[in-house]
Amino acid sequence: MSVEFLWRIPVHGDGRRAHQLHTRGEWNQLNPAINSPQRVAPQHEDQLFAYYDYVQQVAKAADIVGFHGALIPAFPHTEEPWVLASALARETKRLRLLIAIQPWFIHPAYASQMAASLQRLSQGRVEWNVISGGGGAQQRAYGDFIEHDQRYARTNEFLEFVKGYSHHAPFDYDGKFFHVEQGGLRYPMNQYDVPRLWLAGASDAALQVAGRHADIHLTWGEPVEQQKKVIEQARVFFEQNSPDRKVKFGMRIDILARPTQEQAFQELKQMYETIAVDGHAFERKDTESVGAKRQQALAQGNRFEDLFVSPNVWAGMSNVRGGPNCILVGSYEQVAERLQEYIDIGVGHFILASNPHLEEAYRVAEEVLPLVGYKLK
């Protein structure tokens, strides 16, 4: 089985500590009076540089060392992924740009045109992480009020529309959410493929859409035995409901690898100890996402030691920087062994991350992935 490793672009700050003490980016308030670290990355008042200049360094590092691509996430309070991808397309050579997109954000006709234009700009390096939305307050803050299964029905229509509009002009579509008459892209805008599609979700509604459209079914990392069950359940669902399609499996997980396990544990503990009293600000208790609820269930306890849920798997990262809970932590050899275990159960596509993303892109490529038997580039 071929394996791909992608990196993550930090779209709302970066640093060596928990999010509220990040020194790169302006998403927090550092307080010099309490010996906070000093901000070093550009701020919005800077006349010469912007946070984008740091993001550009991260993307170039991932490109230089040979990561297959980079995820550009989307959150209400971060840099916008389409804008970053357009800029990074001209600064990178091989790096594929995995753009997080919600069908609620944009009409599929315009999304098709934007993707086609960016494919031309990047010579075909665009991919989509299509997110139907986790519901709750965050979804409503985007202006989206429809219920869970209907969001996935909308995603299904969105992707049907994009595939038809991109390559089958003149194109008609009359759905519940989207409509068009005699539309579609024409030469030269229809010369590239639709972006490769990464879809997540563990509910029946989510798996139904993934089976119809996904090239890669993406999940947040869990202990390997639980991850194996998740993959097996999804594979059975796809075989029963979409037998003519081959969906591959991907996983998003952080890693912290050092020469020894003791060093890695100590560094992670120091990061954990920098979480503020309100460190649960990232937690979304009203989420409707099945996968997010599984992540929350892993994080039981407040002591550092209580959050180890299996060998070299620690489940407290969502309080450090938001997002998925699990991180692989240990020596270079241990982290490589854990990655190989995930490969053995069928994970062929990894989105990795580690703080700070610039330095760690080099470390992971130099010290960890060669031990998995994977040669970048």
Side-chain angles (χ1 to χ4, degrees), residues 100-149:
I101 177 175
Q102 287 199 30
W104 169 244
F105 291 170
I106 187 170
H107 193 279
Y110 200 62
S112 301
Q113 185 179 4
M114 289 175 66
S117 188
L118 191 51
Q119 289 282 50
R120 287 163 53 80
L121 184 71
S122 67
Q123 295 185 312
R125 291 187 282 130
V126 181
E127 306 193 1
W128 278 353
N129 173 204
V130 183
I131 303 167
S132 295
Q138 186 178 94
Q139 201 68 28
R140 294 192 297 273
Y142 273 130
D144 187 12
F145 290 84
I146 69 173
E147 57 92 16
H148 177 276
D149 285 6

Side-chain angles (χ1 to χ4, degrees), residues 155-165 171 173 212-213:
T155 296
N156 179 64
E157 281 196 14
F158 181 91
L159 294 173
E160 288 180 345
F161 189 117
V162 166
K163 291 176 180 180
Y165 193 90
F171 176 67
Y173 193 85
R212 291 173 182 166
H213 298 287

Side-chain angles (χ1 to χ4, degrees), residues 276-337:
V277 175
D278 61 349
H280 292 274
F282 289 112
E283 189 174 357
R284 293 180 56 205
K285 293 187 177 181
D286 65 345
T287 182
E288 299 170 10
S289 165
V290 175
K293 289 178 180 178
R294 286 204 310 264
Q295 292 283 313
Q296 291 174 358
L298 290 170
Q300 300 299 318
N302 293 316
R303 294 192 314 153
F304 176 78
E305 295 79 7
D306 294 338
L307 293 169
F308 280 94
V309 292
S310 68
N312 305 110
V313 180
W314 188 78
M317 281 304 290
S318 66
N319 291 330
V320 175
R321 52 89 184 96
N325 257 329
C326 290
I327 181 172
L328 302 180
V329 54
S331 69
Y332 298 143
E333 292 79 9
Q334 288 172 325
V335 172
E337 289 170 3

Side-chain angles (χ1 to χ4, degrees), residues 152 199-214 217 219 230 233-238 241-242 247 249:
Y152 283 98
L199 275 73
S203 66
D204 283 355
L207 291 173
Q208 196 73 247
V209 178
R212 291 173 182 166
H213 298 287
H217 182 247
T219 60
V230 169
Q233 290 170 357
R235 182 179 284 120
V236 169
F237 189 98
F238 296 151
N241 293 275
S242 303
V247 180
F249 295 96

Side-chain angles (χ1 to χ4, degrees), residues 338-359:
R338 299 292 85 76
L339 288 172
Q340 184 60 56
E341 289 173 354
Y342 288 106
I343 294 171
D344 291 343
I345 64 170
V347 179
H349 304 266
F350 292 86
I351 301 173
L352 304 179
S354 188
N355 293 71
H357 290 70
L358 176 59
E359 294 93 321

